Amino acid sequence: MPKVAVSDIEETSAQALRAHGAAPWIAAEVARAVAKAEALGNVICGLYYLESYCLQLRSGRVRGDVEPVVERPRPGFVRVDANFGFAQPAFTRGLPLALEAARECGTACLAVGHAHTCTSLGYFTEQIAQAGLIGMGFTNASAIVAPPGGKSRILGTNPFAFSAPDGAGGLAMQFDFSTAAVALGKITMAKAAGRSIPPGWAVDAEGNTTTDPEEALKGALVSAAGYKGWGLGLMVEILAAGMTGGVNSLDVKPLKAPEGTPHDLGQFYILIDPALSPAFAERLSRLAEAIAADEGARMPGANRVPAEEVEVPDALWQLTTDLAGA
């Protein structure tokens, strides 16, 4: 497995997206997210998605040449219509106004609607924290999760993310949590590798727990932590679909299908200015010190150092370069 510089991943991904119809600035925004995911070891949200991005650009399932429309209908609410384009450029266009709104009002919401999947939600809340604010994010996806005790696909993996600033342009804490027990990609990868999956990840078409990835793909995923995760997934669904104009998970077609209707997803963010509380930095520091003093424990997301080069499977890198030369 070759090691590839993350800068080469970003450059080649951007070239591939441009070759399939994305405008240069849009290709750059999406490629930056792909490269960041690879640098952090989040391979499910990195090059794993690049082929579907390119094929969907060609088929028109995602629009690569649209300008997102940004408006501020209320002092503390910023809305972005992604126009069935990628989520990353839509967020980039809306973030400056959302930061301004949060600093003026203390809190603000940023609603991105009619967008393609955003893949790694923490990628976006991290940018909020790097600007000095607390960021929370919510998004939904195509239905794949069954209710506890059920077998019907009702919710997507419906992640939410939280990022807290360290006061110096970095992260004091970040987590990106799928409300499903596992990402669907891990089951498809297990099937491709001929491996079984742990119990508690999925149910078969009859609602029975299964360790067979093929049966899991015919059935549904389950929520993390049972009813607790199910409740969180419902919360995410209500905010991501209800507050953005994006569709319910029930109405999203498979995310990686090369053709079909646009994803039409929503991403909903809450921005909070920690300067509202003079105790914020002190309380956060106290918590971080207590965690650091417990050997083996760590604050999620703190002190992460993105890799400058990563291992990429030969076939995947060949596919990437082929896409770039299309």
Side-chain angles (χ1 to χ4, degrees), residues 188-236:
T188 58
M189 292 171 77
K191 179 185 175 184
R195 298 193 307 265
S196 62
I197 60 173
W201 278 14
V203 294
D204 64 18
E206 303 303 316
N208 302 309
T209 297
T210 182
T211 59
D212 182 340
E214 188 167 353
E215 292 302 314
L217 293 171
K218 295 176 185 176
L221 302 182
V222 300
S223 297
Y227 283 96
K228 295 179 181 179
W230 175 249
L232 290 172
L234 289 169
M235 174 192 71
V236 171

mmCIF file of all heavy atoms in Angstrom, residues 188-236:
data_model
loop_
_atom_site.group_PDB
_atom_site.id
_atom_site.type_symbol
_atom_site.label_atom_id
_atom_site.label_comp_id
_atom_site.label_asym_id
_atom_site.label_seq_id
_atom_site.Cartn_x
_atom_site.Cartn_y
_atom_site.Cartn_z
ATOM 1 N N THR A 188 -20.434 -2.431 4.350
ATOM 2 C CA THR A 188 -20.106 -2.730 2.956
ATOM 3 C C THR A 188 -18.645 -3.136 2.819
ATOM 4 O O THR A 188 -18.317 -4.019 2.011
ATOM 5 C CB THR A 188 -20.412 -1.526 2.046
ATOM 6 O OG1 THR A 188 -19.670 -0.385 2.487
ATOM 7 C CG2 THR A 188 -21.881 -1.178 2.082
ATOM 8 N N MET A 189 -17.771 -2.519 3.598
ATOM 9 C CA MET A 189 -16.358 -2.896 3.558
ATOM 10 C C MET A 189 -16.146 -4.303 4.127
ATOM 11 O O MET A 189 -15.330 -5.083 3.625
ATOM 12 C CB MET A 189 -15.509 -1.869 4.308
ATOM 13 C CG MET A 189 -15.466 -0.511 3.615
ATOM 14 S SD MET A 189 -14.692 0.802 4.600
ATOM 15 C CE MET A 189 -12.964 0.393 4.388
ATOM 16 N N ALA A 190 -16.900 -4.648 5.178
ATOM 17 C CA ALA A 190 -16.806 -5.993 5.744
ATOM 18 C C ALA A 190 -17.274 -7.034 4.729
ATOM 19 O O ALA A 190 -16.661 -8.104 4.575
ATOM 20 C CB ALA A 190 -17.635 -6.089 7.021
ATOM 21 N N LYS A 191 -18.338 -6.718 4.004
ATOM 22 C CA LYS A 191 -18.828 -7.644 2.983
ATOM 23 C C LYS A 191 -17.785 -7.835 1.898
ATOM 24 O O LYS A 191 -17.504 -8.973 1.474
ATOM 25 C CB LYS A 191 -20.124 -7.109 2.372
ATOM 26 C CG LYS A 191 -20.675 -8.015 1.279
ATOM 27 C CD LYS A 191 -21.883 -7.407 0.595
ATOM 28 C CE LYS A 191 -22.338 -8.280 -0.578
ATOM 29 N NZ LYS A 191 -23.460 -7.661 -1.323
ATOM 30 N N ALA A 192 -17.171 -6.741 1.447
ATOM 31 C CA ALA A 192 -16.168 -6.831 0.386
ATOM 32 C C ALA A 192 -14.949 -7.641 0.827
ATOM 33 O O ALA A 192 -14.329 -8.339 0.024
ATOM 34 C CB ALA A 192 -15.736 -5.430 -0.042
ATOM 35 N N ALA A 193 -14.645 -7.572 2.122
ATOM 36 C CA ALA A 193 -13.482 -8.290 2.652
ATOM 37 C C ALA A 193 -13.820 -9.712 3.094
ATOM 38 O O ALA A 193 -12.941 -10.456 3.532
ATOM 39 C CB ALA A 193 -12.881 -7.514 3.820
ATOM 40 N N GLY A 194 -15.095 -10.074 3.023
ATOM 41 C CA GLY A 194 -15.500 -11.410 3.442
ATOM 42 C C GLY A 194 -15.463 -11.613 4.944
ATOM 43 O O GLY A 194 -15.308 -12.743 5.416
ATOM 44 N N ARG A 195 -15.636 -10.541 5.700
ATOM 45 C CA ARG A 195 -15.593 -10.630 7.158
ATOM 46 C C ARG A 195 -16.999 -10.531 7.738
ATOM 47 O O ARG A 195 -17.885 -9.898 7.142
ATOM 48 C CB ARG A 195 -14.737 -9.502 7.741
ATOM 49 C CG ARG A 195 -13.276 -9.514 7.314
ATOM 50 C CD ARG A 195 -12.464 -8.562 8.182
ATOM 51 N NE ARG A 195 -13.041 -7.225 8.222
ATOM 52 C CZ ARG A 195 -12.668 -6.229 7.417
ATOM 53 N NH1 ARG A 195 -11.742 -6.436 6.507
ATOM 54 N NH2 ARG A 195 -13.215 -5.035 7.526
ATOM 55 N N SER A 196 -17.190 -11.093 8.916
ATOM 56 C CA SER A 196 -18.453 -10.926 9.633
ATOM 57 C C SER A 196 -18.436 -9.594 10.365
ATOM 58 O O SER A 196 -17.399 -8.943 10.483
ATOM 59 C CB SER A 196 -18.663 -12.076 10.621
ATOM 60 O OG SER A 196 -17.630 -12.080 11.595
ATOM 61 N N ILE A 197 -19.597 -9.181 10.860
ATOM 62 C CA ILE A 197 -19.706 -7.948 11.629
ATOM 63 C C ILE A 197 -20.098 -8.300 13.062
ATOM 64 O O ILE A 197 -20.675 -9.357 13.317
ATOM 65 C CB ILE A 197 -20.746 -6.989 11.011
ATOM 66 C CG1 ILE A 197 -22.137 -7.647 10.975
ATOM 67 C CG2 ILE A 197 -20.307 -6.544 9.625
ATOM 68 C CD1 ILE A 197 -23.247 -6.715 10.529
ATOM 69 N N PRO A 198 -19.778 -7.450 14.015
ATOM 70 C CA PRO A 198 -20.136 -7.737 15.403
ATOM 71 C C PRO A 198 -21.650 -7.726 15.610
ATOM 72 O O PRO A 198 -22.377 -6.990 14.922
ATOM 73 C CB PRO A 198 -19.486 -6.587 16.187
ATOM 74 C CG PRO A 198 -18.454 -6.019 15.280
ATOM 75 C CD PRO A 198 -18.980 -6.212 13.890
ATOM 76 N N PRO A 199 -22.145 -8.503 16.542
ATOM 77 C CA PRO A 199 -23.577 -8.401 16.887
ATOM 78 C C PRO A 199 -23.861 -7.016 17.459
ATOM 79 O O PRO A 199 -23.000 -6.402 18.093
ATOM 80 C CB PRO A 199 -23.768 -9.498 17.938
ATOM 81 C CG PRO A 199 -22.407 -9.788 18.464
ATOM 82 C CD PRO A 199 -21.445 -9.520 17.351
ATOM 83 N N GLY A 200 -25.061 -6.525 17.205
ATOM 84 C CA GLY A 200 -25.424 -5.209 17.710
ATOM 85 C C GLY A 200 -25.235 -4.092 16.703
ATOM 86 O O GLY A 200 -25.520 -2.928 17.007
ATOM 87 N N TRP A 201 -24.775 -4.435 15.503
ATOM 88 C CA TRP A 201 -24.640 -3.424 14.457
ATOM 89 C C TRP A 201 -25.903 -3.328 13.605
ATOM 90 O O TRP A 201 -26.257 -2.254 13.133
ATOM 91 C CB TRP A 201 -23.456 -3.746 13.533
ATOM 92 C CG TRP A 201 -22.133 -3.312 14.051
ATOM 93 C CD1 TRP A 201 -21.812 -2.914 15.311
ATOM 94 C CD2 TRP A 201 -20.911 -3.233 13.292
ATOM 95 N NE1 TRP A 201 -20.472 -2.605 15.404
ATOM 96 C CE2 TRP A 201 -19.905 -2.786 14.180
ATOM 97 C CE3 TRP A 201 -20.577 -3.502 11.976
ATOM 98 C CZ2 TRP A 201 -18.582 -2.604 13.774
ATOM 99 C CZ3 TRP A 201 -19.266 -3.315 11.563
ATOM 100 C CH2 TRP A 201 -18.273 -2.871 12.458
ATOM 101 N N ALA A 202 -26.536 -4.472 13.357
ATOM 102 C CA ALA A 202 -27.603 -4.481 12.365
ATOM 103 C C ALA A 202 -28.585 -5.617 12.624
ATOM 104 O O ALA A 202 -28.307 -6.549 13.394
ATOM 105 C CB ALA A 202 -26.996 -4.631 10.965
ATOM 106 N N VAL A 203 -29.731 -5.536 11.947
ATOM 107 C CA VAL A 203 -30.721 -6.613 11.936
ATOM 108 C C VAL A 203 -30.962 -7.024 10.495
ATOM 109 O O VAL A 203 -30.726 -6.247 9.553
ATOM 110 C CB VAL A 203 -32.051 -6.185 12.587
ATOM 111 C CG1 VAL A 203 -31.872 -5.924 14.071
ATOM 112 C CG2 VAL A 203 -32.637 -4.948 11.884
ATOM 113 N N ASP A 204 -31.430 -8.259 10.308
ATOM 114 C CA ASP A 204 -31.762 -8.718 8.964
ATOM 115 C C ASP A 204 -33.151 -8.231 8.572
ATOM 116 O O ASP A 204 -33.792 -7.462 9.316
ATOM 117 C CB ASP A 204 -31.623 -10.242 8.856
ATOM 118 C CG ASP A 204 -32.602 -10.997 9.760
ATOM 119 O OD1 ASP A 204 -33.599 -10.401 10.212
ATOM 120 O OD2 ASP A 204 -32.357 -12.196 10.020
ATOM 121 N N ALA A 205 -33.636 -8.681 7.426
ATOM 122 C CA ALA A 205 -34.915 -8.188 6.911
ATOM 123 C C ALA A 205 -36.094 -8.537 7.797
ATOM 124 O O ALA A 205 -37.152 -7.917 7.716
ATOM 125 C CB ALA A 205 -35.138 -8.732 5.501
ATOM 126 N N GLU A 206 -35.911 -9.519 8.678
ATOM 127 C CA GLU A 206 -36.978 -9.919 9.605
ATOM 128 C C GLU A 206 -36.850 -9.252 10.967
ATOM 129 O O GLU A 206 -37.643 -9.520 11.869
ATOM 130 C CB GLU A 206 -36.979 -11.443 9.764
ATOM 131 C CG GLU A 206 -37.147 -12.208 8.455
ATOM 132 C CD GLU A 206 -38.418 -11.801 7.728
ATOM 133 O OE1 GLU A 206 -39.464 -11.672 8.399
ATOM 134 O OE2 GLU A 206 -38.375 -11.617 6.499
ATOM 135 N N GLY A 207 -35.820 -8.413 11.124
ATOM 136 C CA GLY A 207 -35.640 -7.717 12.399
ATOM 137 C C GLY A 207 -34.808 -8.472 13.411
ATOM 138 O O GLY A 207 -34.744 -8.075 14.584
ATOM 139 N N ASN A 208 -34.121 -9.546 12.972
ATOM 140 C CA ASN A 208 -33.291 -10.336 13.869
ATOM 141 C C ASN A 208 -31.842 -9.861 13.817
ATOM 142 O O ASN A 208 -31.328 -9.533 12.739
ATOM 143 C CB ASN A 208 -33.340 -11.822 13.478
ATOM 144 C CG ASN A 208 -34.756 -12.364 13.488
ATOM 145 O OD1 ASN A 208 -35.475 -12.204 14.469
ATOM 146 N ND2 ASN A 208 -35.160 -13.001 12.388
ATOM 147 N N THR A 209 -31.171 -9.847 14.959
ATOM 148 C CA THR A 209 -29.763 -9.476 14.996
ATOM 149 C C THR A 209 -28.958 -10.401 14.093
ATOM 150 O O THR A 209 -29.177 -11.616 14.068
ATOM 151 C CB THR A 209 -29.221 -9.563 16.434
ATOM 152 O OG1 THR A 209 -29.923 -8.614 17.243
ATOM 153 C CG2 THR A 209 -27.744 -9.247 16.481
ATOM 154 N N THR A 210 -28.023 -9.820 13.338
ATOM 155 C CA THR A 210 -27.213 -10.623 12.421
ATOM 156 C C THR A 210 -25.754 -10.201 12.472
ATOM 157 O O THR A 210 -25.444 -9.049 12.783
ATOM 158 C CB THR A 210 -27.727 -10.497 10.972
ATOM 159 O OG1 THR A 210 -26.948 -11.338 10.111
ATOM 160 C CG2 THR A 210 -27.646 -9.061 10.465
ATOM 161 N N THR A 211 -24.860 -11.150 12.173
ATOM 162 C CA THR A 211 -23.432 -10.853 12.035
ATOM 163 C C THR A 211 -22.987 -11.016 10.590
ATOM 164 O O THR A 211 -21.799 -10.921 10.288
ATOM 165 C CB THR A 211 -22.588 -11.775 12.945
ATOM 166 O OG1 THR A 211 -22.832 -13.148 12.585
ATOM 167 C CG2 THR A 211 -22.927 -11.557 14.409
ATOM 168 N N ASP A 212 -23.930 -11.283 9.695
ATOM 169 C CA ASP A 212 -23.649 -11.469 8.275
ATOM 170 C C ASP A 212 -23.845 -10.135 7.557
ATOM 171 O O ASP A 212 -24.970 -9.621 7.506
ATOM 172 C CB ASP A 212 -24.599 -12.523 7.697
ATOM 173 C CG ASP A 212 -24.335 -12.820 6.230
ATOM 174 O OD1 ASP A 212 -23.709 -11.982 5.552
ATOM 175 O OD2 ASP A 212 -24.760 -13.894 5.760
ATOM 176 N N PRO A 213 -22.777 -9.531 7.019
ATOM 177 C CA PRO A 213 -22.939 -8.210 6.395
ATOM 178 C C PRO A 213 -23.914 -8.215 5.220
ATOM 179 O O PRO A 213 -24.607 -7.226 4.984
ATOM 180 C CB PRO A 213 -21.518 -7.852 5.945
ATOM 181 C CG PRO A 213 -20.774 -9.137 5.913
ATOM 182 C CD PRO A 213 -21.384 -9.996 6.958
ATOM 183 N N GLU A 214 -23.991 -9.324 4.490
ATOM 184 C CA GLU A 214 -24.923 -9.391 3.369
ATOM 185 C C GLU A 214 -26.366 -9.335 3.861
ATOM 186 O O GLU A 214 -27.205 -8.624 3.289
ATOM 187 C CB GLU A 214 -24.687 -10.666 2.565
ATOM 188 C CG GLU A 214 -25.494 -10.713 1.281
ATOM 189 C CD GLU A 214 -25.034 -11.797 0.331
ATOM 190 O OE1 GLU A 214 -24.002 -12.445 0.608
ATOM 191 O OE2 GLU A 214 -25.711 -11.988 -0.693
ATOM 192 N N GLU A 215 -26.665 -10.061 4.942
ATOM 193 C CA GLU A 215 -28.013 -10.015 5.515
ATOM 194 C C GLU A 215 -28.296 -8.647 6.127
ATOM 195 O O GLU A 215 -29.425 -8.153 6.083
ATOM 196 C CB GLU A 215 -28.176 -11.118 6.569
ATOM 197 C CG GLU A 215 -28.165 -12.523 6.001
ATOM 198 C CD GLU A 215 -29.263 -12.732 4.962
ATOM 199 O OE1 GLU A 215 -30.418 -12.332 5.232
ATOM 200 O OE2 GLU A 215 -28.964 -13.273 3.882
ATOM 201 N N ALA A 216 -27.249 -8.032 6.695
ATOM 202 C CA ALA A 216 -27.409 -6.691 7.271
ATOM 203 C C ALA A 216 -27.787 -5.680 6.193
ATOM 204 O O ALA A 216 -28.627 -4.797 6.417
ATOM 205 C CB ALA A 216 -26.132 -6.259 7.970
ATOM 206 N N LEU A 217 -27.183 -5.805 5.024
ATOM 207 C CA LEU A 217 -27.473 -4.877 3.944
ATOM 208 C C LEU A 217 -28.882 -5.075 3.388
ATOM 209 O O LEU A 217 -29.455 -4.162 2.801
ATOM 210 C CB LEU A 217 -26.429 -5.021 2.835
ATOM 211 C CG LEU A 217 -25.010 -4.569 3.222
ATOM 212 C CD1 LEU A 217 -24.015 -4.940 2.142
ATOM 213 C CD2 LEU A 217 -24.974 -3.073 3.499
ATOM 214 N N LYS A 218 -29.447 -6.247 3.592
ATOM 215 C CA LYS A 218 -30.840 -6.489 3.208
ATOM 216 C C LYS A 218 -31.802 -5.992 4.287
ATOM 217 O O LYS A 218 -32.991 -5.797 4.017
ATOM 218 C CB LYS A 218 -31.072 -7.983 2.980
ATOM 219 C CG LYS A 218 -30.299 -8.574 1.810
ATOM 220 C CD LYS A 218 -30.525 -10.075 1.743
ATOM 221 C CE LYS A 218 -29.680 -10.725 0.650
ATOM 222 N NZ LYS A 218 -29.835 -12.207 0.654
ATOM 223 N N GLY A 219 -31.273 -5.822 5.503
ATOM 224 C CA GLY A 219 -32.099 -5.400 6.622
ATOM 225 C C GLY A 219 -31.896 -3.936 6.958
ATOM 226 O O GLY A 219 -32.141 -3.068 6.128
ATOM 227 N N ALA A 220 -31.419 -3.665 8.167
ATOM 228 C CA ALA A 220 -31.264 -2.280 8.618
ATOM 229 C C ALA A 220 -30.205 -2.206 9.700
ATOM 230 O O ALA A 220 -29.923 -3.191 10.381
ATOM 231 C CB ALA A 220 -32.590 -1.737 9.147
ATOM 232 N N LEU A 221 -29.628 -1.024 9.849
ATOM 233 C CA LEU A 221 -28.762 -0.763 10.990
ATOM 234 C C LEU A 221 -29.631 -0.530 12.223
ATOM 235 O O LEU A 221 -30.836 -0.292 12.119
ATOM 236 C CB LEU A 221 -27.900 0.477 10.734
ATOM 237 C CG LEU A 221 -26.993 0.478 9.508
ATOM 238 C CD1 LEU A 221 -26.199 1.772 9.457
ATOM 239 C CD2 LEU A 221 -26.082 -0.728 9.490
ATOM 240 N N VAL A 222 -28.986 -0.570 13.398
ATOM 241 C CA VAL A 222 -29.692 -0.237 14.628
ATOM 242 C C VAL A 222 -29.047 1.009 15.233
ATOM 243 O O VAL A 222 -27.942 1.403 14.859
ATOM 244 C CB VAL A 222 -29.673 -1.404 15.636
ATOM 245 C CG1 VAL A 222 -30.350 -2.625 15.042
ATOM 246 C CG2 VAL A 222 -28.248 -1.751 16.056
ATOM 247 N N SER A 223 -29.735 1.619 16.151
ATOM 248 C CA SER A 223 -29.229 2.834 16.791
ATOM 249 C C SER A 223 -28.153 2.501 17.812
ATOM 250 O O SER A 223 -28.163 1.435 18.431
ATOM 251 C CB SER A 223 -30.370 3.579 17.498
ATOM 252 O OG SER A 223 -31.334 4.010 16.575
ATOM 253 N N ALA A 224 -27.223 3.439 17.993
ATOM 254 C CA ALA A 224 -26.248 3.315 19.070
ATOM 255 C C ALA A 224 -26.975 3.429 20.403
ATOM 256 O O ALA A 224 -27.868 4.267 20.566
ATOM 257 C CB ALA A 224 -25.196 4.413 18.949
ATOM 258 N N ALA A 225 -26.637 2.572 21.341
ATOM 259 C CA ALA A 225 -27.210 2.629 22.694
ATOM 260 C C ALA A 225 -28.728 2.484 22.712
ATOM 261 O O ALA A 225 -29.414 3.048 23.571
ATOM 262 C CB ALA A 225 -26.793 3.918 23.403
ATOM 263 N N GLY A 226 -29.257 1.731 21.751
ATOM 264 C CA GLY A 226 -30.680 1.405 21.786
ATOM 265 C C GLY A 226 -31.601 2.608 21.740
ATOM 266 O O GLY A 226 -31.475 3.468 20.870
ATOM 267 N N TYR A 227 -32.540 2.685 22.691
ATOM 268 C CA TYR A 227 -33.531 3.757 22.692
ATOM 269 C C TYR A 227 -32.883 5.134 22.831
ATOM 270 O O TYR A 227 -33.413 6.125 22.304
ATOM 271 C CB TYR A 227 -34.541 3.540 23.823
ATOM 272 C CG TYR A 227 -35.570 2.482 23.509
ATOM 273 C CD1 TYR A 227 -35.409 1.169 23.937
ATOM 274 C CD2 TYR A 227 -36.706 2.795 22.762
ATOM 275 C CE1 TYR A 227 -36.346 0.191 23.634
ATOM 276 C CE2 TYR A 227 -37.657 1.835 22.453
ATOM 277 C CZ TYR A 227 -37.471 0.527 22.887
ATOM 278 O OH TYR A 227 -38.402 -0.433 22.578
ATOM 279 N N LYS A 228 -31.754 5.207 23.532
ATOM 280 C CA LYS A 228 -31.101 6.511 23.705
ATOM 281 C C LYS A 228 -30.605 7.040 22.365
ATOM 282 O O LYS A 228 -30.820 8.199 22.016
ATOM 283 C CB LYS A 228 -29.945 6.375 24.702
ATOM 284 C CG LYS A 228 -30.396 6.027 26.107
ATOM 285 C CD LYS A 228 -29.206 5.881 27.041
ATOM 286 C CE LYS A 228 -29.653 5.510 28.456
ATOM 287 N NZ LYS A 228 -28.512 5.345 29.386
ATOM 288 N N GLY A 229 -29.931 6.180 21.615
ATOM 289 C CA GLY A 229 -29.461 6.587 20.300
ATOM 290 C C GLY A 229 -30.597 6.866 19.339
ATOM 291 O O GLY A 229 -30.511 7.767 18.489
ATOM 292 N N TRP A 230 -31.677 6.104 19.466
ATOM 293 C CA TRP A 230 -32.854 6.333 18.630
ATOM 294 C C TRP A 230 -33.431 7.723 18.884
ATOM 295 O O TRP A 230 -33.772 8.458 17.945
ATOM 296 C CB TRP A 230 -33.890 5.250 18.893
ATOM 297 C CG TRP A 230 -35.198 5.421 18.190
ATOM 298 C CD1 TRP A 230 -36.405 5.713 18.756
ATOM 299 C CD2 TRP A 230 -35.446 5.314 16.777
ATOM 300 N NE1 TRP A 230 -37.385 5.781 17.793
ATOM 301 C CE2 TRP A 230 -36.834 5.545 16.575
ATOM 302 C CE3 TRP A 230 -34.637 5.045 15.680
ATOM 303 C CZ2 TRP A 230 -37.419 5.510 15.311
ATOM 304 C CZ3 TRP A 230 -35.225 5.010 14.416
ATOM 305 C CH2 TRP A 230 -36.593 5.241 14.239
ATOM 306 N N GLY A 231 -33.522 8.112 20.145
ATOM 307 C CA GLY A 231 -34.018 9.450 20.472
ATOM 308 C C GLY A 231 -33.120 10.541 19.922
ATOM 309 O O GLY A 231 -33.600 11.549 19.395
ATOM 310 N N LEU A 232 -31.798 10.345 20.013
ATOM 311 C CA LEU A 232 -30.868 11.327 19.456
ATOM 312 C C LEU A 232 -31.012 11.412 17.938
ATOM 313 O O LEU A 232 -30.974 12.495 17.354
ATOM 314 C CB LEU A 232 -29.432 10.955 19.830
ATOM 315 C CG LEU A 232 -29.061 11.115 21.304
ATOM 316 C CD1 LEU A 232 -27.674 10.536 21.562
ATOM 317 C CD2 LEU A 232 -29.098 12.585 21.714
ATOM 318 N N GLY A 233 -31.186 10.250 17.299
ATOM 319 C CA GLY A 233 -31.361 10.242 15.853
ATOM 320 C C GLY A 233 -32.613 10.987 15.426
ATOM 321 O O GLY A 233 -32.619 11.697 14.406
ATOM 322 N N LEU A 234 -33.677 10.846 16.199
ATOM 323 C CA LEU A 234 -34.903 11.582 15.911
ATOM 324 C C LEU A 234 -34.695 13.090 16.087
ATOM 325 O O LEU A 234 -35.199 13.896 15.294
ATOM 326 C CB LEU A 234 -36.032 11.094 16.818
ATOM 327 C CG LEU A 234 -36.579 9.695 16.518
ATOM 328 C CD1 LEU A 234 -37.495 9.244 17.644
ATOM 329 C CD2 LEU A 234 -37.320 9.673 15.179
ATOM 330 N N MET A 235 -33.965 13.477 17.116
ATOM 331 C CA MET A 235 -33.659 14.890 17.331
ATOM 332 C C MET A 235 -32.914 15.451 16.120
ATOM 333 O O MET A 235 -33.247 16.539 15.604
ATOM 334 C CB MET A 235 -32.812 15.072 18.590
ATOM 335 C CG MET A 235 -32.333 16.497 18.818
ATOM 336 S SD MET A 235 -31.060 16.628 20.111
ATOM 337 C CE MET A 235 -29.645 15.864 19.292
ATOM 338 N N VAL A 236 -31.901 14.724 15.663
ATOM 339 C CA VAL A 236 -31.127 15.158 14.507
ATOM 340 C C VAL A 236 -32.025 15.283 13.281
ATOM 341 O O VAL A 236 -31.945 16.261 12.526
ATOM 342 C CB VAL A 236 -29.966 14.178 14.240
ATOM 343 C CG1 VAL A 236 -29.293 14.495 12.908
ATOM 344 C CG2 VAL A 236 -28.947 14.231 15.369
#
